[in-house]
Amino acid sequence: MSTLPSTQKAVALPAKRTPLIEITTPVQPPAAGEVVVHVQWTSASPLDLHRSDGGLLISSYPALQGGGGAAGTIVAIGSGGDLKGLQVGDRVSAFAFHGDKEANQQEYITIPAYLASKIPDGIPLQAAVTVPVNLVTVFHSVTADLELELPWPIQQNWQPKAANKPILVWGASSSVGIFAIQVLRHWRYTNVLAVSSGSHHTYLKSLGATACFDYRKTDVVDKILDYLKDEDEPKAPYILDCIGSLNGTLEPLAKIAQRGSRVAIMLPVIIKDATEDEEPVYEMEVSKCIPDKWAEGTIVRGVRTHFYLQNEFFKERLQPEILPTLLAEGIVQPNNQRVVEGATLVERAQNALNLLRSKAVSGEKLVYRVSEA
């Protein structure tokens, strides 16, 4: 095992709705089955904004920032345990979310090997970092919440039972939505409907969307229902809400869903965005959101991606095996990236938060450098 520094720079939130600060944290040596990653790139996540503006899931301050992806180089491995074949020097991405030694906005993270993915040759770190959080979210939401099949590996003549059923992806140009379309296409689902800004429709169709609808149009719900008019009920049996906004997505989706529809909603549900003077309002229980507007018998689920580890198969194989294979074979492509600049790590992290808060991001993922190689 290479010599590790004892301390490192990290980004932290000193209190709710305050500027980020730099703090010093210990570098944790790896236990059996763990690896230490020298983090070179990270991706900004909506969770970062929810934590900063609303204190979501924070129990005490200062709180280390970092609920998104990380990409870098393995510099140490534990003695023994299942290291998933990883070695010092391997380039990896990771979706690690337990905080503290796993918080990705610091120079080194110490994580279980099953939370790391070896990056295929030819894919830059800044591109690879856009993949793990959102791809894992897709696999978990599609299988656990929509209860659709994503077997691995896919047998040659296999076809999903719901191959031709409509699957409505609202927020399809989001990072989760872009991966959802690619995954569903590869797993032979043939009727994927995408809702996004019209400027992204050509791109989404190139990824595998069957039809696209512009959420900015006042008649978008009517257009979707007209498209589905010849389908058996429920006409939209599977709905993936990649945004989770009470007014922006839940209310229009409640006009589309019918008895038997399964609706998977990204959490938290945003009840009210933050303003300069007021905190945001979030809801983690989807059952409390417009309960009187969903058709009786609609199955509405909140997506809790962190629970994917309860699926033992995904725990052991999703990040270590499935993700790098899909990338290496070109089945999924990394998100388009916007590199966030700044003189220091804290400045870059703060600039990324500001961009998220201003809703200035569409069809691309914010990434920024954490440390040099």
Side-chain angles (χ1 to χ4, degrees):
M1 184 175 73
S2 60
T3 303
L4 295 172
S6 59
T7 61
Q8 62 181 321
K9 296 177 183 177
V11 177
L13 183 68
K16 188 163 48 176
R17 295 168 64 83
T18 58
L20 299 173
I21 60 172
E22 179 184 298
I23 64 172
T24 299
T25 61
V27 177
Q28 301 288 347
E34 291 184 333
V35 300
V36 179
V37 180
H38 180 207
V39 180
Q40 287 149 266
W41 287 86
T42 187
S43 59
S45 162
L47 179 59
D48 297 335
L49 183 63
H50 300 329
R51 287 166 55 87
S52 177
D53 284 1
L56 187 70
L57 305 177
I58 294 179
S59 57
S60 63
Y61 292 95
L64 288 176
Q65 281 287 90
T73 306
I74 293 179
V75 293
I77 59 176
S79 178
D82 184 0
L83 293 169
K84 302 297 182 186
L86 296 173
Q87 301 176 354
V88 170
D90 284 344
R91 299 185 319 137
V92 295
S93 65
F95 172 32
F97 43 82
H98 298 106
D100 296 326
K101 65 181 183 180
E102 296 183 13
N104 58 288
Q105 291 178 32
Q106 55 189 344
E107 295 173 294
Y108 296 87
I109 57 174
T110 304
I111 62 173
Y114 56 74
L115 296 182
S117 302
K118 190 171 180 179
I119 299 172
D121 293 340
I123 297 181
L125 291 176
Q126 74 175 64
V129 78
T130 69
V131 178
V133 177
N134 304 299
L135 193 58
V136 169
T137 298
V138 169
F139 271 87
H140 178 70
S141 59
V142 168
T143 57
D145 299 311
L146 297 184
E147 296 190 354
L148 290 168
E149 305 164 276
L150 297 178
W152 181 265
I154 303 175
Q155 299 303 312
Q156 184 174 357
N157 296 318
W158 176 83
Q159 288 292 326
K161 297 182 182 69
N164 301 316
K165 294 290 187 181
I167 304 173
L168 182 64
V169 180
W170 195 297
S173 64
S174 69
S175 296
V176 171
I178 288 168
F179 282 115
I181 292 172
Q182 295 178 83
V183 166
L184 292 167
R185 174 207 63 206
H186 181 65
W187 265 264
R188 304 169 187 169
Y189 292 95
T190 64
N191 200 359
V192 180
L193 314 181
V195 182
S196 75
S197 167
S199 62
H200 300 301
H201 287 181
T202 299
Y203 174 57
L204 296 174
K205 286 182 177 178
S206 76
L207 296 179
T210 310
C212 295
F213 304 89
D214 191 338
Y215 76 91
R216 293 178 177 174
K217 302 292 187 181
T218 57
D219 61 349
V220 61
V221 169
D222 291 336
K223 286 188 178 298
I224 293 170
L225 291 174
D226 183 65
Y227 184 89
L228 296 170
K229 64 180 182 296
D230 295 328
E231 297 286 344
D232 294 333
E233 293 190 1
K235 295 183 181 297
Y238 304 104
I239 299 172
L240 182 63
D241 178 0
C242 303
I243 306 300
S245 166
L246 182 70
N247 301 123
T249 60
L250 271 69
E251 293 207 351
L253 287 173
K255 298 174 183 176
I256 297 169
Q258 298 171 299
R259 175 184 290 274
S261 294
R262 299 193 70 93
V263 185
I265 300 170
M266 297 299 137
L267 293 177
V269 175
I270 302 167
I271 308 298
K272 185 178 72 172
D273 286 316
T275 67
E276 289 295 327
D277 303 315
E278 294 182 303
E279 294 184 10
V281 178
Y282 302 130
E283 180 54 67
M284 292 295 289
E285 297 297 333
V286 294
S287 61
K288 297 179 180 179
C289 300
I290 57 170
D292 56 331
K293 293 188 178 181
W294 296 104
E296 185 178 353
T298 304
I299 303 161
V300 184
R301 299 282 299 272
V303 176
R304 299 175 183 267
T305 302
H306 297 175
F307 288 6
Y308 96 92
L309 294 177
Q310 294 177 358
N311 181 321
E312 194 66 23
F313 183 84
F314 281 171
K315 174 184 175 181
E316 298 298 333
R317 299 181 72 173
L318 184 47
Q319 294 203 66
E321 177 186 337
I322 299 174
L323 189 156
T325 301
L326 294 178
L327 270 181
E329 295 182 359
I331 294 164
V332 300
Q333 303 290 332
N335 289 151
N336 296 325
Q337 308 111 52
R338 185 196 298 193
V339 177
V340 181
E341 303 290 356
T344 65
L345 171 56
V346 167
E347 186 176 318
R348 294 188 288 272
Q350 187 67 59
N351 289 343
L353 276 181
N354 296 342
L355 286 168
L356 288 172
R357 187 178 294 113
S358 66
K359 301 184 185 295
V361 185
S362 179
E364 58 190 358
K365 189 75 170 173
L366 299 177
V367 300
Y368 52 95
R369 185 172 285 282
V370 174
S371 57
E372 299 294 333

